[in-house]
Amino acid sequence: MTRLHFAFALLPSGWANDVRVEFTDGIIASVTAGVASTDADERHQLAVPGLASLHSHAFQRGMAGLAELRGDTTDTFWTWRETMYRFALTMTPDDVTAVATLLYVEMLERGFTRVGEFHYLHHDRDGSPYANPAEMAVRIAEASDASGIGLTLLPSFYAHGTFGGAAPHAGQRRFICSVDQFTTLMAASRDAIRKLPGANIGIAPHSLRAVAPDELAAIIPLAGADPIHIHAAEQVREVGDCLAWSGQRPVEWLLEHAPVDQRWCLIHATHMTEQEVTALAGSGAVAGLCPITEASLGDGIFSAREFLAAGGRFGVGTDSNVLVGVADELRQLEYGQRLKHRERVIEQRTAGGRAGTPREHVALAGGAQALAQAKSGLVPGARADIVSLDTTHPSLAGRSGDAVLDGWLFAAGSDAIDCVWAGGDKLVAGGRHRLRDSARERFNASVRRLVA
Ligand code: NGQ
Ligand code: ZN
């Protein structure tokens, strides 16, 4: 049994003083507020729950900052994607281990204790399957194991170049599966995470661009009760292409033709009509928002105000991993809304409430639902995923309660993170993951070779 004591902690009911959290085998056994610490407690100042990054493509961390050069044509999501494909074609399994391990170390240092890895870099560089078809999933599992981050593996089904069953292009060859190959890949992927503590699995039909309706219907049963993640309505052009193909918009099409429910997570869902917003909120599915990537790729701004008003659930993901951090994602989400509405402090849940707290709570619950975590936060039965903040940080000085959270999310960012426990393991202390140096060294060696 591990006993931690916090002077302040953010519980589902709000801020509490003098909180003892006890856990065993990675699961919280008890949370007691209003108790003095004893010598048997490890003492800390302030605890908030760890969050999930519900959407990550780990390999893209290797090209962070390398796609910021304008080409001869207008630079768009689609030209970025060409650069990303070229990078994906260079990577060996060892590179994926190196890049994903550093990424997960960074996620932990910056407040994420679980990752939903939307994994589609399946095959060898020439497009042929590895001897173990889930070789790359094994590498993701290795990175999770080494770093200690909780893993929800989401093997992705990818078959086409665009809507209407178009043939994939050469740059996509490492992603492509038939339904039969994907069924085999799922079985091998389950094996890849079997021994990994706290890991689980779902499926990820990549997008309506990459998956034809009959294929979607064929793979959904593979999920059972597990999560189903899909990219939808990220780019205006994608919406136009979907309309041309089906007469419907991506979210509209999915809500009508797929059994969208609480298992589902629609990644981005950036471009929706009012009707789509209401219907998606009512479906019980989670919107997987990736505010930094959506800004980086020029996607657009999510209808957060309307979606939340309709009772919608969201979580956040780091997606392209160009910049990683809980505070960074939640801040970008809020700032996008401010720029859109030309107002400040959007989404008050309670009069006089502050900017940080409701977002944290909603993102915590949505992230947990999307990655099939029955419990989340500082409650008995949840994984012991805990982030402590350094209350001596200048942007936290003299604050209490929600103002601490605002100081963290809007001013200090990841610099205010002190210790992080994931599944009960204390992996980060003094803001540093125990593998930081070795993971950086290995990552740098890989990336130096890849960009040479
Ligand atoms: C991905 N990323 O799967 O990595 C995609 C690009 C696509 C984002 N959509 C590929 N942000 O959507 O076709
Ligand atoms: Zn994505």
Side-chain angles (χ1 to χ4, degrees):
M1 184 78 80
T2 305
R3 287 169 54 141
L4 306 180
H5 187 279
F6 297 95
F8 305 96
L10 184 58
L11 307 184
S13 52
W15 289 98
N17 292 339
D18 283 320
V19 177
R20 175 175 297 128
V21 181
E22 294 183 302
F23 48 84
T24 180
D25 294 331
I27 305 292
I28 297 178
S30 71
V31 179
T32 320
V35 286
S37 62
T38 72
D39 286 346
D41 292 314
E42 183 182 323
R43 293 190 186 91
H44 295 271
Q45 273 301 304
L46 190 145
V48 294
L51 249 61
S53 169
L54 59 66
H55 186 73
S56 159
H57 307 292
F59 77 88
Q60 293 174 20
R61 172 64 182 85
M63 56 172 282
L66 285 172
E68 303 303 326
L69 199 64
R70 188 183 178 95
D72 301 336
T73 59
T74 308
D75 205 45
T76 64
F77 171 90
W78 308 100
T79 52
W80 166 83
R81 199 174 72 151
E82 293 303 321
T83 308
M84 184 271 281
Y85 285 171
R86 279 197 298 278
F87 189 77
L89 286 173
T90 63
M91 297 184 85
T92 65
D94 283 348
D95 294 325
V96 168
T97 306
V99 169
T101 301
L102 179 70
L103 170 66
Y104 295 165
V105 161
E106 292 173 335
M107 283 186 179
L108 285 158
E109 290 183 344
R110 300 168 196 182
F112 291 111
T113 46
R114 182 168 205 89
V115 60
E117 182 61 34
F118 193 117
H119 171 61
Y120 62 89
L121 188 62
H122 301 308
H123 308 312
D124 208 338
R125 283 181 278 187
D126 64 358
S128 58
Y130 288 106
N132 174 357
E135 176 66 36
M136 289 297 210
V138 169
R139 302 314 185 108
I140 295 294
E142 272 176 19
S144 158
D145 197 27
S147 66
I149 201 166
L151 174 67
T152 299
L153 181 65
L154 301 160
S156 181
F157 177 84
Y158 200 118
H160 304 287
T162 188
F163 293 98
H169 43 96
Q172 298 167 327
R173 63 183 176 269
R174 302 189 75 173
F175 323 152
I176 304 302
C177 283
S178 67
V179 169
D180 284 349
Q181 283 174 317
F182 185 69
T183 306
T184 308
L185 177 68
M186 278 302 297
S189 300
R190 286 182 199 282
D191 282 343
I193 61 151
R194 200 173 306 279
K195 297 206 182 88
L196 196 60
N200 64 347
I201 197 164
I203 68 166
H206 181 274
S207 55
L208 292 177
R209 285 178 271 123
V211 184
D214 58 324
E215 294 158 343
L216 186 62
I219 64 169
I220 284 171
L222 297 176
D226 297 334
I228 304 172
H229 287 220
I230 186 167
H231 294 106
E234 178 181 12
Q235 280 278 316
V236 169
R237 184 175 119 187
E238 173 195 344
V239 176
D241 290 351
C242 190
L243 276 164
W245 163 65
S246 68
Q248 289 183 305
R249 306 162 59 85
V251 173
E252 184 188 13
W253 192 97
L254 281 168
L255 290 169
E256 187 174 318
H257 296 93
V260 176
D261 59 17
Q262 289 86 338
R263 293 172 300 164
W264 286 65
C265 180
L266 271 60
I267 306 301
H268 309 303
T270 311
H271 301 287
M272 294 193 286
T273 61
E274 267 173 55
Q275 289 88 327
E276 286 176 301
V277 166
T278 310
L280 181 61
S283 73
V286 173
L289 309 182
C290 308
I292 290 172
T293 297
E294 288 153 10
S296 164
L297 298 181
D299 291 337
I301 299 178
F302 181 74
S303 303
R305 177 178 271 183
E306 298 78 3
F307 186 71
L308 285 175
R313 304 163 190 194
F314 75 81
V316 291
T318 51
D319 193 351
S320 64
N321 299 307
V322 62
L323 170 72
V324 173
V326 167
D328 304 277
E329 293 296 350
L330 293 174
R331 184 190 324 118
Q332 180 67 38
L333 176 59
E334 173 73 16
Y335 281 177
Q337 298 300 313
R338 291 184 188 186
L339 289 165
K340 177 177 177 177
H341 295 290
R342 286 177 274 165
E343 291 175 21
R344 298 196 72 249
V345 194
I346 312 278
E347 312 314 338
Q348 291 298 0
R349 294 239 137 166
T350 52
R354 310 184 73 101
T357 316
R359 287 214 183 293
E360 248 260 344
H361 277 307
V362 181
L364 174 67
Q369 179 183 320
L371 303 185
Q373 302 301 295
K375 293 204 165 155
S376 61
L378 302 180
V379 294
R383 270 168 63 87
D385 290 345
I386 307 169
V387 174
S388 77
L389 299 181
D390 169 14
T391 51
T392 68
H393 191 286
S395 296
L396 271 51
R399 333 248 161 133
S400 63
D402 290 349
V404 174
L405 219 49
D406 292 340
W408 173 38
L409 299 180
F410 291 95
S414 301
D415 197 31
I417 292 180
D418 183 18
C419 298
V420 179
W421 296 257
D425 282 338
K426 187 179 185 181
L427 300 162
V428 175
R432 293 176 71 93
H433 189 288
R434 57 194 185 203
L435 288 189
R436 182 196 278 189
D437 292 339
S438 61
R440 279 190 184 184
E441 237 171 77
R442 208 172 152 195
F443 173 97
N444 288 355
S446 261
V447 170
R448 282 197 185 107
R449 198 166 24 73
L450 294 175
V451 303

